[in-house]
Amino acid sequence: MSWISEDSSSLLSRFCASILKAGPMPRHVAFIMDGNRRFARKRHVERHQGHTQGFDKLAQTLKWCLDLNIHEVTVYAFSIDNFKRSKEEVDSLMELARNKFSRLLEEIDNLKKHGVCIRVLGDLKLLPKDIQVLIAHAVVATQHHNKCFLNVCFAYTSRHEITNAVREMAWGVEQGLILPSDITEELLGKCLYTRHSPDPDLLIRTSGEVRLSDFLLWQTAYTCLVFQSVLWPEFRVWHLHHAVLQYQANYTAIQKAREAQQAESVRHEYHADLEVLCAREGNEDENELMLATTAGERMQRTQMFLRVLCVSSHMSLNSGSPPKKSRFMYVYMC
Amino acid sequence: MCPSLRSQADAGSATTCQAWWRSTLTLPRRPTHIGVVVTGTRGNRASVSPRELATLVVWCVAGGVSFVTVYDALGECSICIFHDDLNARGVTLLDEIVRRHKEILQADWSKFPLEIVDSRWKTSSQKCEWLPRSLHMRYLEKLKGLETLKHFLVVILTSSSLPGFPDPDLVLRLGPVQSTLGYLPWHLRLSEIIPMHSITYSNFLEALHTFAACQPRFGK
């Protein structure tokens, strides 16, 4: 099956979608697609068939999201912890990935038509080399598409992602690109794998589990969390609509909390700039002009640091060779 | 949950800490660290009063939980909790916990000592001796910020978790908002996030039973 389902939505679901769209809508939805194996047991089929059905459900869900004008979707496809599963299951999941990424390259025109940009987030060096190459080709082929975005977390855990980002910031300080006082929440966010995406507005986990399982821990701090008991291959458009309704019910309160947090971040940045200025000038005068200059210098440093990280990432992808160990290591070796 | 225990709890007749302790002993899995996340408001008031929060903390003590963190997500309770000057007017959560500790546990209160650590990662002056059944509580203010970042650096450099605390097994989400609103993002990796619509003992037991029924697979 294709990456985006071409089946037309029912009249009723399109009608309900139009009603939902009258209210606040999430721009970015994250899915923990849980329940494939339990579905396979329930239907008395092999596990790999459960995972295949799970992929087909992803394709349908992406279509439903497009119908709701949700233009960014992040999915938790494979965790680093999933390598603990049996060799047979891991191999079948890798084979499924091989097939689907190869299929993606075959239907590149369809993806171009929908303007779909595919990003794959994770520690890709843990994957077989041929899959790394397929992923690199898929990401490069769609990198200029900008109508909707599909982030596939593959060989991913959030703690690994955060640790990587903190190491990159530590490297930036070591290289003199940024000061320790330049490290802020916002900079950490821009060093994560998801730096090109806004934080998810809504996270849906299926199969009844009520934990995040090391998925987007930092990014979902102010996300509406919806846990549903349906198994992922049985997920229907009504489950998605119900989740969006819950997002709408929580919208005002979460927005208020997010704004308070952003105001707090601005306050922290102000005090950090003040400390730098005081250390430099040797006094504690809050000279507005000099503070603005200090803030401007901080922003220039962080922009330069982020450009260095971005360049190393692009060089790694466009060479057609497998991505390097991490951006941090690649730039260091150069 | 056992229907008779629920009716006992709702009727308010299960009042001894021993009875509560026994009711949780049969659970196959019990949390070591409970995170209490207070979200939302009811009208102009905080969605949870300090007295209700204090009662919940004491239930954790009676339920054999060793660590509790209380996260006041929207700062709505802050008028009553954790000023630098502990002599500030109004009831503080600390005072309320100490009061409810003795009210609820009655003759058994000394068997369940409390160690309360304030939000600046320093132990309080009333540090208790570490006992196997003692409860350690920490109150957190909007931890998703620079303090968290600095803590992350410490975590990565020293491979230690929340200083002295394990990661929360169970997060009780109080209030109407379906979000953790910035509570300990790094530490939430495997936490079961269970809503508690109102602070009643039957809801607390229900949450413990729901937690016990969860089966973490750790990726397998």
Side-chain angles (χ1 to χ4, degrees):
Chain A
M1 192 175 184
S2 169
W3 276 67
I4 299 182
S5 171
E6 294 291 345
D7 296 341
S8 56
S9 305
S10 70
L11 182 62
L12 181 58
S13 74
R14 288 203 306 274
F15 174 71
C16 293
S18 63
I19 294 175
L20 282 174
K21 283 188 278 189
M25 290 297 291
R27 296 165 302 163
H28 179 185
V29 178
F31 290 93
I32 301 179
M33 307 178 292
D34 199 10
N36 292 338
R37 292 183 296 175
R38 273 168 277 180
F39 173 81
R41 273 201 300 276
K42 187 175 163 186
R43 294 291 178 93
H44 306 292
V45 297
E46 296 291 324
R47 273 184 180 181
H48 71 86
Q49 284 182 276
H51 291 302
T52 303
Q53 300 245 19
F55 178 84
D56 294 343
K57 185 55 62 176
L58 171 61
Q60 262 192 315
T61 304
L62 292 177
K63 176 69 169 60
W64 298 332
C65 288
L66 288 177
D67 289 344
L68 287 169
N69 290 343
I70 296 168
H71 292 294
E72 185 136 19
V73 170
T74 301
V75 297
Y76 200 7
F78 190 85
S79 163
I80 291 176
D81 292 329
N82 292 151
F83 280 111
K84 296 177 199 167
R85 295 183 180 181
S86 67
K87 184 177 185 308
E88 184 193 348
E89 185 172 354
V90 173
D91 287 347
S92 74
L93 286 166
M94 291 299 127
E95 189 57 33
L96 181 66
R98 222 172 251 119
N99 289 339
K100 295 307 175 187
F101 280 109
S102 301
R103 175 75 193 265
L104 188 149
L105 292 171
E106 289 167 10
E107 57 179 58
I108 200 74
D109 291 333
N110 190 33
L111 291 174
K112 189 176 180 182
K113 177 180 118 186
H114 290 289
V116 180
C117 174
I118 305 275
R119 300 178 187 130
V120 181
L121 316 175
D123 192 359
L124 305 182
K125 71 178 187 301
L126 297 175
L127 301 171
K129 287 281 192 297
D130 64 319
I131 293 182
Q132 291 184 43
V133 173
L134 283 172
I135 287 172
H137 284 314
V139 169
V140 169
T142 61
Q143 63 180 325
H144 297 298
H145 300 167
N146 58 6
K147 283 192 190 151
C148 49
F149 302 89
L150 172 61
N151 307 308
V152 181
C153 292
F154 207 70
Y156 170 92
T157 61
S158 185
R159 282 199 175 178
H160 186 99
E161 177 188 31
I162 295 169
T163 307
N164 188 61
V166 172
R167 286 204 174 108
E168 288 186 344
M169 291 193 294
W171 173 82
V173 170
E174 188 187 74
Q175 297 298 309
L177 293 170
I178 51 174
L179 299 176
S181 56
D182 295 342
I183 295 177
T184 60
E185 278 185 59
E186 195 187 343
L187 184 61
L188 175 65
K190 289 178 181 167
C191 293
L192 297 173
Y193 299 151
T194 53
R195 65 193 176 284
H196 295 300
S197 305
D199 290 342
D201 300 297
L202 172 63
L203 180 145
I204 300 171
R205 178 167 189 160
T206 54
S207 89
E209 306 293 352
V210 291
R211 52 185 178 264
L212 296 176
S213 296
D214 221 340
F215 180 56
L216 302 181
L217 299 176
W218 183 263
Q219 297 90 328
T220 56
Y222 293 90
T223 295
C224 179
L225 305 177
V226 175
F227 300 108
Q228 296 177 325
S229 57
V230 62
L231 301 177
W232 175 249
E234 295 173 332
F235 188 75
R236 298 185 65 198
V237 67
W238 313 116
H239 295 109
L240 178 61
H241 286 186
H242 185 242
V244 170
L245 271 173
Q246 291 183 65
Y247 165 80
Q248 293 178 337
N250 284 270
Y251 175 77
T252 305
I254 293 180
Q255 274 300 107
K256 179 181 166 189
R258 245 189 205 167
E259 284 162 12
Q261 176 57 33
Q262 282 161 1
E264 188 74 13
S265 296
V266 167
R267 198 183 66 79
H268 271 297
E269 280 179 359
Y270 174 84
H271 284 287
D273 292 336
L274 186 59
E275 273 185 36
V276 168
L277 183 62
C278 293
R280 188 188 306 164
E281 299 297 317
N283 61 56
E284 294 187 1
D285 291 341
E286 289 187 35
N287 182 313
E288 290 298 327
L289 179 62
M290 294 179 75
L291 262 175
T293 307
T294 307
E297 288 167 358
R298 170 174 50 78
M299 284 189 269
Q300 274 187 334
R301 284 193 299 272
T302 53
Q303 291 296 335
M304 171 57 72
F305 166 66
L306 291 170
R307 269 201 293 273
V308 168
L309 294 182
C310 190
V311 164
S312 71
S313 173
H314 277 288
M315 284 173 68
S316 172
L317 281 174
N318 284 314
S319 69
S321 58
K324 297 290 184 179
K325 203 168 187 181
S326 75
R327 290 182 307 181
F328 160 73
M329 291 303 296
Y330 183 83
V331 173
Y332 187 75
M333 285 189 288
C334 284
Chain B
M1 186 170 71
C2 169
S4 62
L5 189 60
R6 174 183 272 281
S7 61
Q8 278 179 30
D10 287 341
S13 62
T15 54
T16 66
C17 68
Q18 292 296 334
W20 294 344
W21 174 258
R22 275 198 299 273
S23 75
T24 58
L25 278 181
T26 55
L27 293 174
R29 192 174 162 233
R30 278 179 292 159
T32 304
H33 174 184
I34 290 182
V36 178
V37 178
V38 182
T39 71
T41 57
R42 288 185 206 139
N44 293 326
R45 294 171 48 244
S47 60
V48 178
S49 69
R51 183 178 173 82
E52 288 174 304
L53 263 183
T55 304
L56 180 58
V57 170
V58 175
W59 286 339
C60 291
V61 176
V65 176
S66 300
F67 300 88
V68 173
T69 42
V70 176
Y71 178 62
D72 181 13
L74 294 174
E76 297 296 341
C77 295
S78 64
I79 54 168
C80 294
I81 299 171
F82 269 103
H83 288 275
D84 286 334
D85 174 14
L86 286 178
N87 293 322
R89 60 182 174 84
V91 175
T92 65
L93 177 61
L94 273 178
D95 288 345
E96 201 58 48
I97 288 172
V98 170
R99 187 174 304 124
R100 292 296 282 157
H101 187 220
K102 289 184 178 166
E103 280 175 5
I104 295 173
L105 300 180
Q106 296 173 1
D108 292 321
W109 73 270
S110 60
K111 295 180 187 173
F112 297 89
L114 292 179
E115 177 186 359
I116 298 177
V117 182
D118 73 16
S119 61
R120 286 162 183 78
W121 311 101
K122 290 181 283 201
T123 55
S124 67
S125 57
Q126 295 88 24
K127 185 174 174 176
C128 304
E129 185 184 330
W130 183 283
L131 292 171
R133 287 167 73 184
S134 60
L135 174 76
H136 308 272
M137 200 201 90
R138 175 166 280 150
Y139 174 77
L140 307 172
E141 288 179 359
K142 297 207 170 101
L143 207 58
K144 185 179 179 286
L146 273 181
E147 289 208 29
T148 315
L149 277 175
K150 289 175 192 164
H151 175 63
F152 284 173
L153 291 172
V154 170
V155 167
I156 287 158
L157 293 172
T158 65
S159 301
S160 64
S161 63
L162 194 66
F165 278 50
D167 291 345
D169 315 85
L170 167 61
V171 171
L172 294 176
R173 185 176 53 74
L174 306 177
V177 184
Q178 285 175 241
S179 175
T180 53
L181 297 181
Y183 171 72
L184 294 180
W186 172 269
H187 306 86
L188 272 188
R189 186 173 73 104
L190 298 174
S191 307
E192 309 288 349
I193 302 167
I194 296 174
M196 208 166 134
H197 300 293
S198 57
I199 299 183
T200 64
Y201 189 65
S202 60
N203 284 346
F204 176 63
L205 275 188
E206 184 89 50
L208 289 182
H209 280 259
T210 304
F211 173 82
C214 295
Q215 293 176 339
R217 298 188 295 274
F218 305 106
K220 288 187 186 169

